[in-house]
Amino acid sequence: TPISKPSSSSMSGQPVTTSRRKVELQVPSPTMTNHQIHRHVQRQIVKLLRISDLPVPSTLSMLNDYDNDDEAQHGSNDQDALNDSRRRKKRPKTAWEASRERFWRRIDWKKFDQVYREALHDAQAHAMTRHKIRDTPALRHRLLAKILSNIQFRDTVLPLERLVAYRRLLRLLDDHFEELYLEDFGKYWEEQLTLVVTESRPYNTSLSAMRKRRQRNMETGYSFTIHHDNQVTVTIPVDFENDELLQELTRNIIDFVEWTSNQEELGGVGGLEGIYSSVIFTK
């Protein structure tokens, strides 16, 4: 079920609506257990709230956000803390405490150390090869070509307009290579994002007219849709202005990259498990 919500930013203290963000909510599988359905629905609600820039209630944020502090530490200190909690006077555990204890019991620390070493090795390799694509013309052109190959056009866009749009998009991506994180988010740009170019807008697109349309929450020709499989579709008009498109991309891309990458790492799982790869957990 696609749900749309205008994205906005503050200018002079006033919210200005720009593009529309859309998210597809997935219906639970009929083979799921009641517990799995409950967690699935909770994740879908969190997904909708986040994409709408709305606060997530504490009862739901526990599934996704409550573990951003020092929970990643492990070893004797965690075991001592767990033993201390068991020696305390018996009282009903909160849902957060129960979830935390289940989480620690499920971790295979040998696998954890292996994943940590692999992540450190990847980080070192990334540091050594940083800007390699940007500074190597052949690699840079290959990345741009792959991104452009994902562009789709509506049937109403004329052949000449398509050629012009290709040329303009190529120049825009090349000129703003770092600003759009083309190298840092290369996999995302190549494999997860699709640009869909639509026909020219039938209304006045001057700066003043577009400002009024945004203030009135009217259609601007841009939309960002995140699908249930974490693919993202960006819809833009063929008569886009460079500054306008650049603003839309920079305002939305990072949010979508963070969301889709988190969901891929979790495999749809929230809470403390979201920090770590699923391979470190015992069955």
Side-chain angles (χ1 to χ4, degrees):
T1 304
I3 305 292
S4 65
K5 169 69 169 65
S7 65
S8 61
S9 64
S10 178
M11 297 178 61
S12 303
Q14 298 295 326
V16 179
T17 301
T18 57
S19 56
R20 291 189 176 274
R21 292 179 170 185
K22 303 177 183 179
V23 59
E24 291 182 351
L25 302 182
Q26 194 171 17
V27 176
S29 168
T31 60
M32 287 184 175
T33 64
N34 290 338
H35 176 70
Q36 290 173 327
I37 292 176
H38 179 71
R39 286 182 60 84
H40 176 87
V41 171
Q42 287 181 317
R43 288 196 296 271
Q44 298 299 300
I45 293 175
V46 171
K47 186 177 183 180
L48 178 58
L49 292 175
R50 282 186 165 178
I51 212 70
S52 303
D53 292 328
L54 295 175
V56 180
S58 58
T59 54
L60 294 179
S61 62
M62 179 177 63
L63 295 172
N64 295 270
D65 292 332
Y66 65 82
D67 42 61
N68 292 326
D69 47 17
D70 294 329
E71 299 290 356
Q73 298 180 359
H74 66 281
S76 59
N77 291 337
D78 295 312
Q79 188 61 43
D80 292 342
L82 187 58
N83 292 335
D84 289 341
S85 67
R86 290 171 177 170
R87 288 194 293 267
R88 293 174 187 167
K89 185 178 179 179
K90 292 291 185 179
R91 64 171 175 79
K93 292 185 177 67
T94 64
W96 186 90
E97 291 172 332
S99 174
R100 185 175 184 273
E101 288 193 8
R102 289 195 303 270
F103 171 81
W104 291 123
R105 286 196 298 267
R106 289 186 56 212
I107 292 180
D108 183 326
W109 292 111
K110 290 184 178 180
K111 291 182 179 178
F112 179 93
D113 290 338
Q114 178 184 351
V115 171
Y116 173 80
R117 288 192 296 269
E118 291 174 354
L120 181 60
H121 179 269
D122 290 343
Q124 292 171 337
H126 175 72
M128 294 178 63
T129 59
R130 183 166 176 78
H131 299 319
K132 181 177 181 180
I133 295 178
R134 184 197 67 179
D135 299 333
T136 306
L139 296 178
R140 182 174 178 136
H141 294 160
R142 186 183 305 167
L143 175 60
L144 292 172
K146 183 64 173 69
I147 296 173
L148 291 177
S149 70
N150 294 332
I151 297 177
Q152 299 177 5
F153 291 91
R154 296 282 171 81
D155 293 339
T156 51
V157 181
L158 300 176
L160 180 58
E161 291 178 319
R162 300 185 185 195
L163 292 176
V164 174
Y166 267 124
R167 178 62 177 171
R168 293 184 60 202
L169 287 170
L170 173 61
R171 289 295 302 273
L172 184 141
L173 294 174
D174 195 28
D175 291 344
H176 301 279
F177 195 89
E178 289 191 77
E179 190 173 354
L180 293 173
Y181 304 99
L182 295 188
E183 181 169 2
D184 293 334
F185 300 153
K187 180 179 178 182
Y188 174 83
W189 279 97
E190 288 183 290
E191 300 178 6
Q192 289 184 252
L193 186 141
T194 300
L195 288 170
V196 177
V197 182
T198 63
E199 63 277 0
S200 299
R201 291 167 286 189
Y203 42 80
N204 187 355
T205 58
S206 65
L207 290 177
S208 59
M210 293 303 295
R211 186 180 303 111
K212 291 179 181 179
R213 293 187 70 86
R214 295 187 179 101
Q215 291 173 343
R216 296 170 183 173
N217 194 22
M218 299 175 69
E219 187 63 54
T220 61
Y222 297 90
S223 69
F224 292 73
T225 303
I226 178 171
H227 304 283
H228 68 275
D229 57 357
N230 288 332
Q231 295 294 311
V232 175
T233 299
V234 181
T235 302
I236 65 174
V238 71
D239 59 344
F240 65 87
E241 296 292 338
N242 285 358
D243 291 343
E244 184 181 42
L245 176 57
L246 183 63
Q247 183 185 56
E248 296 290 348
L249 291 174
T250 54
R251 178 174 296 153
N252 291 278
I253 286 298
I254 292 181
D255 288 343
F256 279 88
V257 169
E258 290 180 349
W259 171 257
T260 56
S261 62
N262 287 341
Q263 291 303 299
E264 284 189 346
E265 291 171 2
L266 301 183
V269 178
L272 284 170
E273 299 177 13
I275 300 178
Y276 309 106
S277 170
S278 60
V279 301
I280 71 171
F281 294 102
T282 57
K283 300 298 183 180

